[in-house]
Amino acid sequence: MPSVKSYAGGLVHYDAKRRRVWLGGQRMHHGLTGAVVTTVGLAGLAARRMTTLGGVEWALLGAVLMVHDWDDRTAWFQRGRQE
């Protein structure tokens, strides 16, 4: 049985054996996801679309994801599958 499964018409791929996710052919790292989550939190605060607590929570969650994946930081924004 293959370990990679496809979802959303092939847009999302998940490898259960290696615990990796690809979105549109781009591997998603915790650090990349954390950078996006942190940006959303800070942008929400700046635009006054989030409460202070909500924006800080999003920013902290993103920071934790980035710290968790710090050893792979050189690969966060590299394009491609990154097998």
Side-chain angles (χ1 to χ4, degrees):
M1 175 178 227
S3 64
V4 178
K5 293 187 179 183
S6 296
Y7 302 93
L11 181 65
V12 178
H13 298 282
Y14 175 66
D15 184 340
K17 184 185 250 182
R18 296 187 295 171
R19 298 172 56 188
R20 294 182 178 172
V21 175
W22 291 269
L23 179 62
Q26 178 67 44
R27 180 161 172 222
M28 300 303 295
H29 288 269
H30 284 101
L32 172 60
T33 305
V36 170
V37 170
T38 299
T39 301
V40 167
L42 295 176
L45 284 172
R48 298 180 184 254
R49 295 289 185 180
M50 289 185 172
T51 64
T52 302
L53 180 60
V56 169
E57 287 173 338
W58 277 69
L60 287 175
L61 173 62
V64 168
L65 288 169
M66 289 188 286
V67 168
H68 175 265
D69 202 31
W70 193 250
D71 290 340
D72 289 338
R73 66 187 175 274
T74 58
W76 290 356
F77 299 100
Q78 288 179 358
R79 297 191 47 87
R81 290 191 57 86
Q82 300 174 27
E83 300 295 330

